[in-house]
Amino acid sequence: MADINQDFGKLVMANQLNLDTVLREQIGFIPAVQQNNSAAQAAIGQTIQYPLVPTLQLEDVTADCCDIPCPDAVDWQTAEMTITHNKAVRFCWTGEEEQLMNNSYRDGGANALRGSEMDEAMRLIVNAVELSIADQAAFAAQIYNPLNGGILFNQQADNIKDLANIRKLLHRAKAPDNDRHLVMGYDASANLVNAYGITRANENASDATLRRGEMLNMLNFGLHESFAADQADATRGTGAGYLVNGVAAIGAKTITVDTGTGTILPGDKIHFAADLVNVYTVVSFVGNVITLAQPLKVAAADNAAVTIDAAYGRQLAFHRRAIVLATRTPFLQGGGDRASNRAYITDPVSGLTMMLSQYGGYRANIYELALVWGVKMVKPELAVLVPA
């Protein structure tokens, strides 16, 4: 019988040695969001409640020798998130396949090839996590349409004015100055790198962008690229024919509608009547009431048509605490399972730790790489969606 422990150790080593040879997409969301290990301890589908900071009041103070002023009771409210993703990648090797590869592939044999399969498994899981974070971009409370044709950094002059405008929006949202991030697609990052002065070492105080293509911080934003940022969120509501029921004033966040058919989903982008400038994010649609993430900037007239916009890209500017990612390895039943070997591997690209298991079969072994995670936009007002 083969020494399974020794073979498994070689697999882990092959995985470590081959990581740099695997083609990997850019993953800018994972390092930019807040990671929470406490939330990750929940079971699949279990609700995790977290308190929301209550609204307090500024009061005039009047001295009183007898009574100590007592503030009003705080109205604590909570929000929820869940651990929803339980994913694994599996592949199988038979003894005959192993011997064939050992005879045919001299540069490391079967172990090196299994290591490459592990690289691919790791890439698939990391990309799934990246996409699940990018999906949260739809819930951003603010939307910024870039200058010059709606393409980020598509300017010849004032080449970082888009970033300055995004910075202004986060200032108005009272976002902390530190730990701000912008995750952009490949076209936007190419525009930025090509912008005047960005690659000029004498003006940029560094040659990192020019020589190594590094995206340096700008205006206190960490700049990241992601394959997921350019991809449109295809899940859109099917609602049509909805009309505003009564005038909705400036500042309103709940809009009553009538008539209409189909769905209006959380994260949908809608506009009212001919106002194409102001686009709003849907938080919920319950009964005949639409709740928006942003207050109306322009009043919506009675019987104004409600239109669901086309799918947006997922480029996002945000403070780290806007999005929480909770990851963990799968829980095992108290006595364990039928795995003959198990190890934990940390992806050096994303920093995510996954569980690697080996299960013995008839003249074969099954290898599994697994990760459990959940993600949520917990502070939408600290995020700005930038359509791709």
Side-chain angles (χ1 to χ4, degrees), residues 38-287:
S38 297
Q41 300 309 305
I44 295 293
Q46 183 177 352
T47 297
I48 306 163
Q49 290 190 334
Y50 55 93
L52 301 176
V53 178
T55 300
L56 303 180
Q57 300 293 329
L58 183 67
E59 301 178 8
D60 292 322
V61 175
T62 302
D64 193 316
C65 296
C66 300
D67 294 325
I68 300 176
C70 183
D72 294 334
V74 173
D75 182 18
W76 285 97
Q77 296 181 344
T78 61
E80 299 176 348
M81 72 173 293
T82 55
I83 302 297
T84 53
H85 302 277
N86 185 5
K87 303 291 185 181
V89 179
R90 304 183 185 97
F91 58 94
C92 179
W93 276 74
T94 68
E96 295 297 329
E97 289 173 333
E98 181 176 280
Q99 187 60 32
L100 174 64
M101 292 305 174
N102 282 335
N103 290 337
S104 304
Y105 180 57
R106 298 295 182 182
D107 188 13
N111 272 318
L113 294 172
R114 279 196 294 266
S116 295
E117 285 184 296
M118 286 303 307
D119 299 344
E120 176 65 8
M122 189 171 290
R123 183 188 74 87
L124 290 172
I125 292 176
V126 169
N127 285 357
V129 175
E130 181 80 357
L131 283 168
S132 68
I133 301 173
D135 285 341
Q136 296 298 307
F139 301 101
Q142 303 187 75
I143 301 172
Y144 172 72
N145 290 299
L147 305 172
N148 279 8
I151 301 173
L152 191 59
F153 301 128
N154 189 32
Q155 302 105 264
Q156 297 301 314
D158 296 328
N159 48 57
I160 61 170
K161 193 169 184 178
D162 278 333
L163 191 59
N165 287 337
I166 293 170
R167 176 177 177 268
K168 176 177 64 178
L169 290 177
L170 287 179
H171 277 349
R172 286 177 173 169
K174 300 182 285 293
D177 287 336
N178 65 323
D179 229 349
R180 295 181 179 184
H181 301 268
L182 171 63
V183 181
M184 67 192 106
Y186 297 147
D187 289 339
S189 63
N191 287 342
L192 181 59
V193 169
N194 194 47
Y196 177 86
I198 302 302
T199 57
R200 295 174 180 246
N202 62 319
E203 298 180 16
N204 206 27
S206 172
D207 65 353
T209 304
L210 175 64
R211 303 301 179 194
R212 298 183 295 280
E214 295 179 10
M215 303 296 287
L216 300 177
N217 284 16
M218 296 180 63
L219 302 185
N220 215 19
F221 281 85
L223 302 180
H224 312 267
E225 299 167 283
S226 174
F227 78 96
D230 279 333
Q231 299 187 26
D233 183 359
T235 304
R236 293 268 74 87
T238 60
Y242 286 102
L243 303 176
V244 175
N245 186 5
V247 176
I250 293 175
K253 295 180 72 173
T254 56
I255 312 297
T256 302
V257 298
D258 53 20
T259 71
T261 59
T263 60
I264 299 178
L265 301 177
D268 278 348
K269 305 297 179 292
I270 63 175
H271 66 267
F272 298 97
D275 181 13
L276 303 180
V277 175
N278 296 298
V279 179
Y280 305 94
T281 301
V282 175
V283 174
S284 65
F285 180 38
V286 179

Side-chain angles (χ1 to χ4, degrees), residues 291-312:
T291 301
L292 304 176
Q294 314 97 325
L296 288 180
K297 296 180 180 178
V298 177
D302 184 29
N303 289 326
V306 179
T307 302
I308 300 176
D309 286 12
Y312 275 47

